């Protein structure tokens, strides 16, 4: 009996110890773009997310069809306001409030996580990001939706510096990024970062090995003080963290709002590379980065190959699925 009691006590002690360890949240989502003329209905898309165990989605405007289909699904959502709304929302709190009422409050069954106030904004419009974020946050609070945070999505080009510990906001971005970072620190919202090792590799193939970009390096590639980098994704994310620290916003977390690899249309754009990158990203998100170990939230770009996207041919080949809902290549979520 004593032995049995000791075993029970030991099991209980271990259970209490495990309960005291904070659970690290990690999540893998997929971006749902709709720049195509042959895509499935929004309700079919939501079913495809659910049948594949994809728990989060990123959409690029207030898509009523998607919002209706998402209602009751519990799929976590990042929703962009659309860059064309930035100037109006920056100058007119009423316009921001009406948008929140019509597109957020009107869909109580949707699990909104973040509102992206601008996505890779460039030029003079960058000065509208922060005032628009303030007005969206105020509108969310006034609507009783203060748990939904406003942020903005930026690309790696707003940072510079190597190795990752030397990361800063670049000279042409710091004037707007530093106040944005400090504002996010005050609200508890994350910074949304679009992180693409593919484009970094394409821009510097002479110095970046493709295995470093694909998560397939056999060992450390970059040693940065006490931090060892075996993949480019971690290095890019930690460059953002260093930039946030130098801006006085070291408590702001990064949510990777886009990342992916094209399966056709250009150099190194093959189905095998796309599968390798995206599967390794899925497997990696639970680990975090050397600067921020633990789980992280990331969104793969994108759900479908979108045949009407402009730009380089690769832009039309980032999809995990074909428009007929068949996999572009096999993945395990």
């Amino acid at each position: 009996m004593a032995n049995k009691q000791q075993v029970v006590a030991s099991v209980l002690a271990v259970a209490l110890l495990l309960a005291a360890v904070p659970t690290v949240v990690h999540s893998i989502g997929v971006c749902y773009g709709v720049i195509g003329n042959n895509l499935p209905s929004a309700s079919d898309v939501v079913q495809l997310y659910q049948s594949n165990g994809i728990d989060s989605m990123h959409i690029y405007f207030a898509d009523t069809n998607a919002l209706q289909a998402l209602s009751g699904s519990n799929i976590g959502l990042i929703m962009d306001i659309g860059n064309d709304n930035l100037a109006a929302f920056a100058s007119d709190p009423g316009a921001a409030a009406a948008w929140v009422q019509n597109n957020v409050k009107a869909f109580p069954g949707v699990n909104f996580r973040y509102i992206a106030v601008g996505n890779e904004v460039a030029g003079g419009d960058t000065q509208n990001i922060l005032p628009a974020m303030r007005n969206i946050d105020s509108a969310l609070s006034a609507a009783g939706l203060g748990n939904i945070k406003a942020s903005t999505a930026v690309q790696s080009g707003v940072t510079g510096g190597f190795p990752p510990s030397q990361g800063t906001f670049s000279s042409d971005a710091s004037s707007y990024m530093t106040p944005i970072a400090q504002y996010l620190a005050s609200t508890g919202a994350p910074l949304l970062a679009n992180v693409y090792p593919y484009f970094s590799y394409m821009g510097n193939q002479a110095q970046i090995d493709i295995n470093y970009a694909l998560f397939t390096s056999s060992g450390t590639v970059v040693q940065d003080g006490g931090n060892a980098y075996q993949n480019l994704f971690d290095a890019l994310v930690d460059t953002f963290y260093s930039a946030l620290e130098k801006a006085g916003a070291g408590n702001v977390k990064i949510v990777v709002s886009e990342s992916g690899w094209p399966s056709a249309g250009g150099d190194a754009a093959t189905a095998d590379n796309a599968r390798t990158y995206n599967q390794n990203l899925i497997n990696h998100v639970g680990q975090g980065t050397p600067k921020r170990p633990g789980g992280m939230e990331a969104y793969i770009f994108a759900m479908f190959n979108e045949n009407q996207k402009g730009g380089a041919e690769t832009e039309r080949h980032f999809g995990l699925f074909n428009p007929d809902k068949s996999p572009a290549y096999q993945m395990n979520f």
Side-chain angles (χ1 to χ4, degrees):
M1 179 66 84
N3 287 341
K4 187 176 180 182
Q5 287 176 329
Q6 286 172 343
V7 169
V8 170
S10 297
V11 170
L12 184 60
V14 170
L16 290 170
L17 181 64
L18 290 173
V21 176
T23 303
V24 176
V25 175
H26 66 273
S27 171
I28 195 77
V30 179
C31 303
Y32 172 33
V34 293
I35 307 175
N37 62 5
N38 55 355
L39 300 177
S41 69
S43 58
D44 281 355
V45 171
V46 168
Q47 288 175 6
L48 193 58
Y49 272 67
Q50 292 172 318
S51 64
N52 283 279
I54 303 168
D55 66 14
S56 312
M57 180 187 288
H58 179 180
I59 62 175
Y60 293 92
F61 64 99
D63 182 341
T64 300
N65 291 329
L67 293 171
Q68 288 172 343
L70 285 165
S71 187
S73 70
N74 204 37
I75 291 172
L77 185 67
I78 300 176
M79 182 166 74
D80 291 17
I81 65 165
N83 289 358
D84 53 341
N85 283 319
L86 261 180
F89 292 0
S91 62
D92 183 359
W99 185 90
V100 166
Q101 288 291 328
N102 293 334
N103 300 298
V104 185
K105 185 146 179 101
F107 295 93
V110 174
N111 179 20
F112 292 99
R113 284 188 186 154
Y114 318 112
I115 304 300
V117 181
N119 190 332
E120 299 188 356
V121 180
D125 231 7
T126 54
Q127 299 308 315
N128 289 323
I129 299 171
L130 184 53
M133 282 172 60
R134 291 184 188 277
N135 286 338
I136 288 289
D137 264 331
S138 295
L140 289 166
S141 293
L145 302 169
N147 59 308
I148 304 167
K149 300 297 185 184
S151 184
T152 191
V154 296
Q155 57 164 314
S156 294
V158 302
T159 65
F162 179 85
S165 62
Q166 298 304 304
T168 60
F169 288 120
S170 57
S171 56
D172 55 346
S174 61
S175 63
Y176 65 91
M177 284 305 303
T178 296
I180 286 171
Q182 292 171 352
Y183 176 74
L184 295 174
S186 75
T187 66
L191 177 64
L192 306 177
N194 297 341
V195 177
Y196 284 96
Y198 172 75
F199 292 121
S200 299
Y201 166 73
M202 289 299 296
N204 192 5
Q205 293 184 54
Q207 290 185 284
I208 298 174
D209 184 85
I210 193 167
N211 293 303
Y212 187 52
L214 288 171
F215 295 93
T216 52
S217 294
S218 59
T220 299
V221 176
V222 173
Q223 188 69 44
D224 183 11
N227 290 333
Y229 290 89
Q230 197 168 337
N231 65 79
L232 182 54
F233 175 87
D234 282 351
L236 292 169
V237 173
D238 278 355
T239 300
F240 269 109
Y241 274 122
S242 293
L244 287 168
E245 289 166 0
K246 292 180 179 70
N251 65 319
V252 174
K253 76 169 183 174
I254 297 291
V255 167
V256 177
S257 42
E258 291 183 17
S259 191
W261 196 284
S263 61
D267 193 18
T270 67
D272 193 49
N273 284 346
R275 179 195 305 109
T276 297
Y277 178 81
N278 287 324
Q279 188 66 64
N280 285 334
L281 176 61
I282 290 169
N283 298 343
H284 183 71
V285 291
Q287 302 171 31
T289 70
K291 278 182 79 74
R292 296 290 189 276
M296 66 190 306
E297 188 177 343
Y299 294 74
I300 294 174
F301 187 88
M303 195 65 172
F304 298 104
N305 290 318
E306 298 170 72
N307 66 354
Q308 293 181 314
K309 284 203 78 173
E313 180 63 25
T314 50
E315 292 291 326
R316 294 178 281 283
H317 299 280
F318 272 88
L320 300 175
F321 292 88
N322 297 307
D324 65 1
K325 299 185 286 184
S326 65
Y329 41 83
Q330 289 302 316
M331 291 282 294
N332 177 18
F333 291 95

